[in-house]
Structures are given as structure tokens and as C-alpha cells.
Amino acid sequence: RLLGAKFLPPDRPSNIVNRSRLIDRVQNTRARIITIIGPAGSGKTALSAACYRAERLSGHHVCWLHVDDSDNGPSFWLHLCTAVALEHTSQDFSWLEHPHENSPLPWINALINQLAKLEGETTLFIDDYHCICSKDIHRDLKQLLAYLPANMKLVMSSRADIPIPLARLRMSGQL
């Protein structure tokens, strides 16, 4: 059974700092991969959640995934694909019922193909990516990023740089 709280951003705290300039920057960038990096308590999650709400108000599809230490295995891909499926309920995600044995690549490829068929923009927020220490997940996420459809944006928050080679994406203006 999946924990529903992983798929919803936290409630807006009453003492949140207004970050309209940063929210606008995230919303209006041409980059398809956005990283929000900062130390614990710096407001990464609050900023991501504010961007999530702003994207939702703009009529875009938004997906949220909060990761933790328990996501350093196959559950990462189940949770990521489920986050997208929860937003796009009219789409067929029946392939999620067939667990991957040795490699999540069939799911990743199915997700890429599914995303490419969607109308409108979708933004996927992954919160606390620094909890992911699995080299396999980093490698497989690189596959997703390499083929991320044009209608998809990925926003990742972390306490440390994302351990994926991002130079090519940065040079092409996608990061």
C-alpha cells in the first residue's frame, strides 16, 4: 500500500517568505529541468510547494513526489510513476501493475512514451532528492532526463548537487 502523503506538497506555512520572483522564474523558464539546491531549513520544500500551487493555478498538470531514505530501491520508480498516474487519471497506466524484476527501464520507457502522448504541460516535483543515494537510481534517472518529452518539466529539490552528469543539459539550455 502506498503512502498518500508522498504525493502531496506540504501545507503552506503561515510564516512563509514571499518568493514571487523565484516562483515566476521557475514557471517561466525555458529549462525543462530545474534544481533547487540549499541547506536544510533554507526553504527548498516551501519554494517547490509554492511553485506547485502556482503551476496548478496556471492550469498546468502538476505531480508531487516526496522521497526519503526508503526510496533507494524499486519503490522510487513505483512512486515516481504513481505520482504521474495520479495526476493523469484518464490515461492508461496499467503497466504499473507489472513489477519490473531486474531493471526499471521498461517502466521508465513506458513513462516516457506515456508522457509524450499527454496534452498540455506537466511539471513533476521531486522533493528531498538528496535522500536518494542509489547509483542505479541516479543512472536510470539520467535515462529519463535524456528523453524527457518537450511537454514535461522536472523540478528537483536537494540539499546537495544532483549526482547526475548535467553538463550536457546545461549547455543545451534544458537545465
Side-chain angles (χ1 to χ4, degrees):
R1 193 137 175 93
L2 298 176
L3 180 61
K6 293 182 84 58
F7 306 108
L8 295 170
D11 291 334
R12 182 186 165 129
S14 58
N15 61 346
I16 192 167
V17 175
N18 183 352
R19 297 179 174 183
S20 56
R21 185 182 60 81
L22 289 173
I23 293 168
D24 185 59
R25 193 168 172 194
V26 169
Q27 275 193 289
N28 295 313
T29 184
R30 291 181 158 224
R32 293 182 16 241
I33 301 154
I34 299 160
T35 57
I36 301 173
I37 311 294
S42 63
K44 299 173 300 298
T45 297
L47 174 59
S48 292
C51 291
Y52 173 97
R53 287 187 269 284
E55 289 282 305
R56 172 81 67 206
L57 286 172
S58 296
H60 296 148
H61 293 284
V62 287
C63 316
W64 183 272
L65 176 59
H66 173 80
V67 296
D68 55 41
D69 295 333
S70 70
D71 288 312
N72 277 290
S75 66
F76 176 83
W77 293 105
L78 173 62
H79 290 151
L80 187 139
C81 293
T82 299
V84 175
L86 288 170
E87 177 63 20
H88 294 286
T89 56
S90 65
Q91 299 296 312
D92 179 18
F93 282 87
S94 59
W95 47 268
L96 279 173
E97 298 168 10
H98 308 286
H100 55 80
E101 294 294 321
N102 299 324
S103 169
L105 286 180
W107 274 10
I108 295 168
N109 292 337
L111 178 64
I112 291 167
N113 291 334
Q114 193 84 37
L115 292 169
K117 295 177 193 173
L118 299 175
E119 302 231 357
E121 291 186 27
T122 298
T123 303
L124 170 61
F125 291 85
I126 302 177
D127 187 38
D128 285 346
Y129 190 80
H130 59 271
C131 293
I132 301 299
C133 57
S134 165
K135 290 181 179 170
D136 291 339
I137 292 174
H138 300 320
R139 179 200 64 224
D140 295 338
L141 186 63
K142 183 179 158 190
Q143 168 82 5
L144 175 64
L145 297 179
Y147 296 100
L148 198 66
N151 62 343
M152 183 76 181
K153 190 180 342 180
L154 178 62
V155 179
M156 302 171 70
S157 69
S158 177
R159 292 181 187 169
D161 286 337
I162 308 299
I164 299 169
L166 300 171
R168 177 175 284 158
L169 297 169
R170 188 172 284 119
M171 293 297 293
S172 67
Q174 295 181 50
L175 175 68

